Amino acid sequence: MELMNVKAIIDELKAGRSVSDAELEALLATEDADAVSYLAACAREVREKIYGKAVYIRGLIEFTNYCKNSCYYCGINCKNAKADRYRLSDEEILDCVREGYELGFRTFVLQGGEDPFYTDDKIISLIREIKSMHPDCAVTLSIGEKSEASYRAFFEAGADRYLLRHETASPEHYAKLHPGDLSFENRMNCLKTLRKIGFQVGCGMMVGSPYQTTQNLIADLRFISEFKPDMCGIGPFIPHKDTIFKNEPQGGLQLTLKLLSIIRLLVPDVLLPATTALGTIDPEGREKGLRHGANVVMPNLSPVNVRAKYAIYDGKICTGSESAECIKCLSARVKAAGYEIVVDRGDHKKMFVAE
Ligand code: SAH
């Protein structure tokens, strides 16, 4: 498609009008530098209109790498006998929160494998502890698929947000990334349930995951634009050496950046992280993400001695430095990209109400 046409597609997206699958395909395929930089400029404009230059920080606490699932892409899947497993104690988790608060974090993300050791009661007491220590902070959970009753109990205990990437909006593709005991339907139902309960909800997918087609990505964009998540986490797929996908190529930088920009235009008020995976495939990946419409970063607050063990993919950055060092480095990066980290819960500035 001609350059003019691609720019016209970007204008349509920016104006909130619908575009066809063929148009999305043309946009995803274009390598024209002018069109791509126009897309990024539009994404920045939309992001700055709503969120200004603010970048929200989320303190990520990876509290367990035990997992009962065996997602084919993930390095901490239960079939990986080489994973060096760990669990953080309540005290260790709360220490991370204390330190994070001092450093300016007002959102804490508890992320882990699906680890039955952390019963609902344990999670609930952690949520209560954090909320009573710091009532001005948001607690985000990212602990996978649970029952409606569990989700409800977490919400009632004070959890504010839940991240559960949909991974792919195409059932056939989902089945190629997950074993038979995990279902596309259940994952999608979990997202709907979380929203119904009242959580701010984050979905998302990997870019360039094995077997992913352009049509799959278009389905992801359609899903995101319809679901209108509060947050949307996307990052490149990166192979892990001890998984069956070890020889698969990693996701592309340019495609990931383009998708960030498109998602910003599709859901203008979305909270969009420049992910660690993006920073892993390119030394300036996160800065580039911010310059393509992202407005969130999620530095690691986990104790340094476990960081390398939360190895969902190879080569993960920031596994060696203390939290204080990490936030210093990241602040400089955010500034270099033309933005500013703020001390704020960074709630979703909702402009659109999902149906
Ligand atoms: N157990 C939780 C958290 C999963 S880890 C859950 O099920 O939601 C968070 C995200 O990391 C996953 O949702 C997945 O999209 C991403 N991820 C896993 N393996 C990856 C890989 N090899 N490359 C890039 N991202 C990966």
Side-chain angles (χ1 to χ4, degrees):
M1 218 178 270
E2 303 269 320
L3 170 57
M4 271 313 291
N5 289 351
V6 174
K7 281 197 171 172
I9 297 166
I10 298 167
D11 287 334
E12 290 295 292
L13 282 176
K14 192 176 164 210
R17 286 191 284 268
S18 62
V19 298
S20 68
D21 283 5
E23 288 171 322
L24 281 177
E25 202 175 331
L27 186 52
L28 289 172
T30 189
E31 287 182 6
D32 182 279
D34 281 349
V36 173
S37 69
Y38 182 64
L39 174 63
C42 290
R44 281 197 300 275
E45 188 188 325
V46 168
R47 167 255 203 267
E48 285 172 27
K49 211 158 97 188
I50 301 169
Y51 291 102
K53 298 277 189 189
V55 170
Y56 302 117
I57 48 173
R58 319 297 197 198
L60 190 59
I61 304 171
E62 299 158 334
F63 68 98
T64 173
N65 71 349
Y66 281 84
C67 191
K68 65 180 168 64
N69 295 331
S70 56
C71 305
Y72 300 150
Y73 45 83
C74 184
I76 61 168
N77 83 74
C78 65
K79 297 266 167 67
N80 181 9
K82 291 192 184 152
D84 183 4
R85 307 283 170 176
Y86 73 91
R87 291 183 173 116
L88 296 186
S89 67
D90 287 8
E91 254 335 292
E92 287 173 305
I93 295 170
L94 297 175
D95 280 346
C96 295
V97 169
R98 250 175 242 123
E99 185 183 1
Y101 191 87
E102 292 296 311
L103 294 169
F105 288 88
R106 296 296 178 267
T107 291
F108 299 100
V109 183
L110 296 181
Q111 188 179 82
E114 289 196 18
D115 181 358
F117 172 84
Y118 295 90
T119 57
D120 287 1
D121 285 346
K122 287 200 173 89
I123 298 289
I124 287 166
S125 92
L126 273 169
I127 298 166
R128 290 214 174 106
E129 281 279 354
I130 298 172
K131 292 298 269 194
S132 73
M133 270 162 69
H134 298 302
D136 56 333
C137 290
V139 171
T140 303
L141 298 176
S142 180
I143 53 175
E145 298 173 27
K146 305 274 173 179
S147 68
E148 176 165 351
S150 300
Y151 285 153
R152 211 172 271 288
F154 301 153
F155 187 72
E156 280 162 10
D160 304 271
R161 309 180 184 141
Y162 206 103
L163 303 182
L164 186 80
R165 289 189 175 180
H166 65 284
E167 311 297 0
T168 170
S170 312
E172 325 73 55
H173 186 214
Y174 194 92
K176 291 181 180 159
L177 298 178
H178 301 93
D181 61 332
L182 292 174
S183 88
F184 171 78
E185 211 192 350
N186 193 55
R187 192 118 186 135
M188 287 300 194
N189 282 337
C190 283
L191 281 169
K192 286 178 193 135
T193 302
L194 287 162
R195 160 149 302 157
K196 182 180 76 181
I197 291 170
F199 283 98
Q200 293 180 47
V201 182
C203 65
M205 72 281 182
M206 291 174 283
V207 179
S209 60
Y211 307 106
Q212 186 178 63
T213 63
T214 302
Q215 292 313 309
N216 294 147
L217 282 175
I218 291 172
D220 288 322
L221 292 174
R222 297 285 182 216
F223 169 69
I224 291 163
S225 123
E226 199 178 306
F227 186 66
K228 295 198 190 344
D230 300 279
M231 291 163 273
C232 186
I234 72 159
F237 160 75
I238 303 172
H240 184 286
K241 60 183 185 336
D242 303 316
T243 63
I244 59 168
F245 289 154
K246 61 176 177 239
N247 294 320
E248 298 288 331
Q250 70 182 26
L253 173 69
Q254 293 310 326
L255 183 58
T256 306
L257 295 174
K258 215 187 257 181
L259 283 159
L260 283 172
S261 298
I262 296 173
I263 293 168
R264 170 63 63 207
L265 297 183
L266 286 172
V267 190
D269 58 11
V270 75
L271 291 158
L272 200 56
T275 55
T276 304
L278 189 55
T280 297
I281 64 159
D282 184 288
E284 296 194 351
R286 286 167 301 173
E287 293 88 321
K288 289 175 184 168
L290 294 172
R291 307 227 1 112
H292 284 75
N295 64 335
V296 172
V297 288
M298 301 175 68
N300 201 321
L301 283 184
S302 313
V304 173
N305 66 318
V306 304
R307 285 194 192 183
K309 297 182 188 173
Y310 196 81
I312 51 184
Y313 49 78
D314 287 334
K316 199 167 150 221
I317 52 167
C318 307
T319 54
S321 34
E322 299 287 340
S323 304
E325 246 173 88
C326 246
I327 186 72
K328 227 164 113 188
C329 154
L330 206 56
S331 298
R333 287 169 180 273
V334 168
K335 268 210 183 92
Y339 295 96
E340 189 130 25
I341 285 181
V342 293
V343 176
D344 191 303
R345 274 172 50 125
D347 283 293
H348 180 200
K349 294 194 178 166
K350 239 177 226 175
M351 305 187 65
F352 298 88
V353 180
E355 295 90 64

